Amino acid sequence: MTKRRVSKPIFVGGVKIGGNAEIAVQSMTKTNTANVDATVDQIRLVEEAGCDIIRCAVPDMEAAKAIPRIRARINIPLIADIHFHHHLALESIKGGVDGLRLNPGNIRDPGKVKQVVMAAKERDIPIRIGVNFGSLPPVGGIGKSGGFSRVMDMVNKLPKAGDAVEGEYSVVDHMVATALWEVGLLESLDFDLIKISLKAFDVPTTVEAYRRLSRLVPYPLHLGITEAGTVKSGSIRSAVGLGFLLYEGIGDTIRVSLSGQPREEVVAGYEILKSVNLRQKGTTLIACPSCGRADVDVIKLSNTVDELLQKIDKNVKVAVMGCEVNGPGEAKDADVGIAAGAGRAVIFRKGQKVRVVPESEMLSALMAEVESL
Amino acid sequence: MTKRRVSKPIFVGGVKIGGNAEIAVQSMTKTNTANVDATVDQIRLVEEAGCDIIRCAVPDMEAAKAIPRIRARINIPLIADIHFHHHLALESIKGGVDGLRLNPGNIRDPGKVKQVVMAAKERDIPIRIGVNFGSLPPVGGIGKSGGFSRVMDMVNKLPKAGDAVEGEYSVVDHMVATALWEVGLLESLDFDLIKISLKAFDVPTTVEAYRRLSRLVPYPLHLGITEAGTVKSGSIRSAVGLGFLLYEGIGDTIRVSLSGQPREEVVAGYEILKSVNLRQKGTTLIACPSCGRADVDVIKLSNTVDELLQKIDKNVKVAVMGCEVNGPGEAKDADVGIAAGAGRAVIFRKGQKVRVVPESEMLSALMAEVESL
């Protein structure tokens, strides 16, 4: 793995992002933000799953007014997601929000941008610039005519993802150029509590955009693949994109965008981080895929163990293997494991047999070992 | 993305692996191979999901004898997975198998290895050398004393995954050295229908081993992360590892090892390939993760659409968005999509509005558009 890029750290509430900080896991609520009870309930679930920072959409003043009431009842920093209206940003800051996600270019009026940036600066609140493939300004239109036109037919003139041709102005160029312009707007106001994301659905487009930008600015990067899909397909797509960048040392915080519950986004985020050994959270399951050699239903056993392990908050590797003879050696990396044979199972630690138990007791024996660690 | 490494192609039955061939998706049966009906049933399910090649464990003569009966009833090439016994390899070849997965070093006796290799050569059957972190020979023990000792305490002296220190003999070195030795055994018998895998549970270990080997041999590489986990966690771990290598142009065929049904392995395999635009199979869903701005239950809608799309074998991108105004533009990459607002939805193609339908008809309208493409 490549050594991590060291970015200029910022703080979102008490959570450090960038520098030598561990990679933070974020999610976003899917409730109506103005519905404080429902929003707080959803945030409590992601807190339990290990979410470091939560973001809420602030589409109107009712949502902005809910921010202080939400924040008072949760334990992790809260970010307000603002699209176009500077007064919603100002109200969110007033309400004690810990960070903003906001593209200054979308606010258009320089005077209004300045008001928001000054308010953020006064309270030491960082701003994430969130460039998205789907809402880029028209090519040649960055910063022109008071900002951005969202006229569809102009947006449609953009090169499609994956169309990048060497030497031509590609969608990756345009994403990076847009981000740099947005950064310039904040820097010109002497503001540097900046974090940047560059999301697309297309993985190579996203990867190349982050790679490029990572060499051009000192700020922390928030990684994500946008509109990635359902829990199943979206997790895989996000794992490919985020995993690649993290492996290359790029990325300070992540959000896995899934068409699913926020808790699923957090769980998937940790699985990605665990895969590249960047952050441990709870148990890790090493599970034999099973084959024609297995004497027991390893798939069922693995899934049962997986479910039981969800409740255990220990950094341990647990193996479920389907071969009594080869299992302990094959999973010698595991802190504890079970190798199930016909009618009995070997319990092992770091590849060494601890004891043999009858099949009926194997599950409880394994969990007892895990508990005892 | 890096240009694909061009390997020396081989054929597994009618499926070309390596060279300029598209990346093949493999899986393995989890039934008792001797149970022909159950095994054939499982293979039919993976065929439907687009599996290119299937592998069955051959742990005993009963399984080997089942090979011709299985092969006669399936439509994709069949690979026999052999551990130690050369007579099982010979019987599988006699039974018409299309490929072997077998480490010649495990057979130990050079005379027996020669018999198998000669039989494979006569019928043009390739052999995959499958080096696994969990069953490496002891350090310093490659090729010594008639082959490999599987004595546990010696295996335990191996460096643990992730322990690689620059300048020291690491587990990656040992995996690569073991593969090269196995390759040497086959090459010394003038056999070159070779494919190689180097699997570990640890993603960085696996990635570095493949990276290294890819520069040392001309043969096609079969990618996999071993004992990756359940469908959920294992898919993510595999996506990170396989996605990284594929992005770097490495890999000719893949298997996602999951503690789940073989069909799930194939579906996950295609999701990984789709993420790096290396191979399309069926539809691709672009799904808005939903947020406090959504007026409808986008998560439920996305999952329903996802389920309906499983049955459609067309290479199309379909979007489900939760914002009537921004949705079509944000998902302009999609061939067709739906942007759901309060009580109604916009149907769009390539970012252009086609028509507006009431909420009650949005699902059927979207599917009608997909069907009409």
Side-chain angles (χ1 to χ4, degrees), chain A residues 11 92-94 96-100 117 119-127 191 193:
Chain A
F11 279 85
S92 298
I93 295 173
K94 212 175 90 183
V97 91
D98 301 288
L100 295 168
V117 171
K121 205 171 166 179
E122 202 184 300
R123 303 218 188 179
D124 257 342
I125 292 171
I127 296 177
F191 186 86
L193 304 176

Side-chain angles (χ1 to χ4, degrees), chain A residues 150-156, chain B residues 321 323-341 344-358 365-366 369:
Chain A
R150 280 179 300 128
V151 179
M152 204 82 68
D153 62 354
M154 295 194 74
V155 172
N156 276 321
Chain B
M321 306 298 286
C323 177
E324 209 185 331
V325 182
N326 299 325
E330 290 221 354
K332 61 184 178 294
D333 238 18
D335 297 297
V336 57
I338 192 170
R344 56 183 221 154
V346 173
I347 303 284
F348 58 93
R349 284 190 181 204
K350 291 278 179 194
Q352 303 293 343
K353 191 199 279 195
V354 174
R355 60 203 169 104
V356 177
V357 295
L366 175 68
E369 285 293 324

Side-chain angles (χ1 to χ4, degrees), chain A residues 81 156 208 247 293 352, chain B residues 81 156 208 247 259 293 352:
Chain A
D81 191 278
N156 276 321
E208 297 308 326
Y247 202 93
R293 292 181 186 91
Q352 303 292 342
Chain B
D81 192 279
N156 277 320
E208 297 308 327
Y247 202 93
S259 202
R293 291 181 187 91
Q352 303 293 343

Side-chain angles (χ1 to χ4, degrees), chain B residues 260-303:
Chain B
Q261 291 308 308
R263 196 188 169 281
E264 299 278 6
E265 300 188 345
V266 176
V267 170
Y270 275 106
E271 287 297 339
I272 294 171
L273 292 176
K274 283 198 269 187
S275 299
V276 284
N277 304 330
L278 276 172
R279 192 168 168 190
Q280 286 302 325
K281 163 81 189 163
T283 55
T284 300
L285 181 69
I286 298 176
C288 159
S290 187
C291 73
R293 291 181 187 91
D295 288 314
V296 298
D297 187 342
V298 188
I299 298 173
K300 199 177 143 195
L301 181 61
S302 298
N303 281 285

Side-chain angles (χ1 to χ4, degrees), chain A residues 1-2 28-33 56-59 81-84 101 132-136 150 152-153 155-156 158-162 201-205 207-208 211 226-240 243-245 247-248 255 257-262 264-265 267-269 271-272 274-277 284-294 298-300 302-303 306 317 320-321 325-326 328-333 350-352, chain B residues 1-2 28-33 56-59 81-84 101 132-136 150 152-153 155-156 158-162 201-205 207-208 211 226-240 243-245 247-248 255 257-262 264-265 267-269 271-272 274-277 284-294 298-300 302-303 306 317 320-321 325-326 328-333 350-352:
Chain A
M1 281 177 68
T2 311
M28 188 167 185
T29 52
K30 300 175 183 196
T31 48
N32 178 350
T33 307
C56 295
V58 180
D81 191 278
I82 312 284
H83 275 181
F84 309 103
R101 184 265 179 171
N132 262 45
F133 167 74
S135 50
L136 288 169
R150 280 179 300 128
M152 204 82 68
D153 62 354
V155 172
N156 276 321
L158 281 174
K160 293 283 178 290
F201 176 77
D202 187 68
V203 169
T205 299
V207 164
E208 297 308 326
R211 270 178 156 176
T226 197
E227 289 123 20
T230 59
V231 172
K232 221 170 179 176
S233 63
S235 294
I236 291 177
R237 179 169 286 266
S238 299
V240 171
F244 187 90
L245 288 163
Y247 202 93
E248 283 211 336
R255 180 207 171 188
S257 296
L258 299 177
S259 201
Q261 292 308 308
E264 298 279 6
E265 300 188 346
V267 170
E271 286 297 339
I272 294 171
K274 283 198 269 186
S275 298
V276 283
N277 303 329
T284 300
L285 180 68
I286 299 175
C288 159
S290 187
C291 72
R293 292 181 186 91
V298 188
I299 297 173
K300 197 176 145 196
S302 297
N303 281 286
D306 186 53
K317 269 190 193 157
V320 175
M321 306 296 288
V325 181
N326 299 325
E330 290 220 355
K332 62 185 176 296
D333 239 17
K350 292 275 180 196
Q352 303 292 342
Chain B
M1 281 178 65
T2 311
M28 190 168 183
T29 52
K30 299 173 184 198
T31 48
N32 178 349
T33 308
C56 295
V58 179
D81 192 279
I82 311 283
H83 275 181
F84 308 104
R101 184 266 180 171
N132 262 46
F133 168 75
S135 50
L136 288 168
R150 279 179 302 129
M152 202 83 68
D153 61 355
V155 172
N156 277 320
L158 281 175
K160 291 286 178 287
F201 176 77
D202 187 67
V203 169
T205 299
V207 164
E208 297 308 327
R211 270 178 156 177
T226 196
E227 288 123 21
T230 60
V231 172
K232 220 168 178 177
S233 63
S235 293
I236 291 177
R237 180 169 284 267
S238 298
V240 172
F244 187 90
L245 288 163
Y247 202 93
E248 284 211 335
R255 180 208 171 187
S257 297
L258 299 176
S259 202
Q261 291 308 308
E264 299 278 6
E265 300 188 345
V267 170
E271 287 297 339
I272 294 171
K274 283 198 269 187
S275 299
V276 284
N277 304 330
T284 300
L285 181 69
I286 298 176
C288 159
S290 187
C291 73
R293 291 181 187 91
V298 188
I299 298 173
K300 199 177 143 195
S302 298
N303 281 285
D306 186 54
K317 270 190 193 158
V320 175
M321 306 298 286
V325 182
N326 299 325
E330 290 221 354
K332 61 184 178 294
D333 238 18
K350 291 278 179 194
Q352 303 293 343

Side-chain angles (χ1 to χ4, degrees), chain B residues 40-327:
Chain B
V40 168
D41 284 351
Q42 205 167 63
I43 295 173
R44 293 229 174 102
L45 289 175
V46 297
E47 283 180 354
E48 263 176 45
C51 185
D52 296 302
I53 296 167
I54 190 73
R55 175 162 51 117
C56 295
V58 179
D60 50 37
M61 199 42 90
E62 214 189 333
K65 297 269 188 208
I67 292 284
R69 285 178 294 145
I70 294 168
R71 196 170 174 279
R73 290 168 57 188
I74 64 173
N75 303 301
I76 53 176
L78 178 63
I79 291 179
D81 192 279
I82 311 283
H83 275 181
F84 308 104
H85 304 293
H86 82 297
H87 59 281
L88 298 178
L90 291 173
E91 185 65 29
S92 299
I93 295 172
K94 211 174 91 185
V97 91
D98 300 289
L100 295 168
R101 184 266 180 171
L102 167 161
N103 291 346
N106 281 348
I107 296 179
R108 301 185 185 199
D109 181 325
K112 291 177 179 171
V113 172
K114 192 172 178 180
Q115 276 182 59
V116 173
V117 171
M118 290 303 126
K121 204 170 167 179
E122 203 184 298
R123 304 218 187 179
D124 256 342
I125 293 171
I127 295 176
R128 168 158 69 92
I129 292 167
V131 173
N132 262 46
F133 168 75
S135 50
L136 288 168
V139 170
I142 297 177
K144 281 189 187 157
S145 60
F148 301 95
S149 160
R150 279 179 302 129
V151 180
M152 202 83 68
D153 61 355
M154 295 193 73
V155 172
N156 277 320
K157 283 184 195 140
L158 281 175
K160 291 286 178 287
D163 279 0
V165 175
E166 212 168 334
E168 284 186 15
Y169 186 76
S170 70
V171 70
V172 170
D173 293 315
H174 194 47
M175 286 177 77
V176 174
T178 303
L180 291 175
W181 180 70
E182 298 275 6
V183 166
L185 284 182
L186 296 184
E187 286 176 338
S188 71
L189 293 165
D190 197 26
F191 186 85
D192 65 355
L193 304 175
I194 299 171
K195 190 172 54 169
I196 312 166
S197 65
L198 289 166
K199 303 183 184 180
F201 176 77
D202 187 67
V203 169
T205 299
T206 310
V207 164
E208 297 308 327
Y210 277 107
R211 270 178 156 177
R212 186 98 54 92
L213 192 72
S214 71
R215 296 189 292 262
L216 300 173
V217 296
Y219 305 113
L221 299 176
H222 167 112
L223 305 184
I225 301 292
T226 196
E227 288 123 21
T230 60
V231 172
K232 220 168 178 177
S233 63
S235 293
I236 291 177
R237 180 169 284 267
S238 298
V240 172
L242 274 50
F244 187 90
L245 288 163
L246 293 167
Y247 202 93
E248 284 211 335
I250 296 168
D252 301 283
T253 177
I254 62 171
R255 180 208 171 187
V256 179
S257 297
L258 299 176
S259 202
Q261 291 308 308
R263 196 188 169 281
E264 299 278 6
E265 300 188 345
V266 176
V267 170
Y270 275 106
E271 287 297 339
I272 294 171
L273 292 176
K274 283 198 269 187
S275 299
V276 284
N277 304 330
L278 276 172
R279 192 168 168 190
Q280 286 302 325
K281 163 81 189 163
T283 55
T284 300
L285 181 69
I286 298 176
C288 159
S290 187
C291 73
R293 291 181 187 91
D295 288 314
V296 298
D297 187 342
V298 188
I299 298 173
K300 199 177 143 195
L301 181 61
S302 298
N303 281 285
T304 308
V305 171
D306 186 54
E307 231 167 81
L308 293 169
L309 291 177
Q310 300 298 327
K311 288 156 206 150
I312 292 172
D313 193 19
K314 281 182 184 180
N315 176 4
V316 288
K317 270 190 193 158
V318 180
V320 175
M321 306 298 286
C323 177
E324 209 185 331
V325 182
N326 299 325

Side-chain angles (χ1 to χ4, degrees), chain A residues 310-347:
Chain A
Q310 301 298 329
K311 288 157 208 152
I312 293 172
D313 192 19
K314 281 183 183 179
N315 175 4
V316 287
K317 269 190 193 157
V318 180
V320 175
M321 306 296 288
C323 177
E324 206 185 336
V325 181
N326 299 325
E330 290 220 355
K332 62 185 176 296
D333 239 17
D335 296 298
V336 56
I338 191 171
R344 58 183 220 156
V346 173
I347 303 284

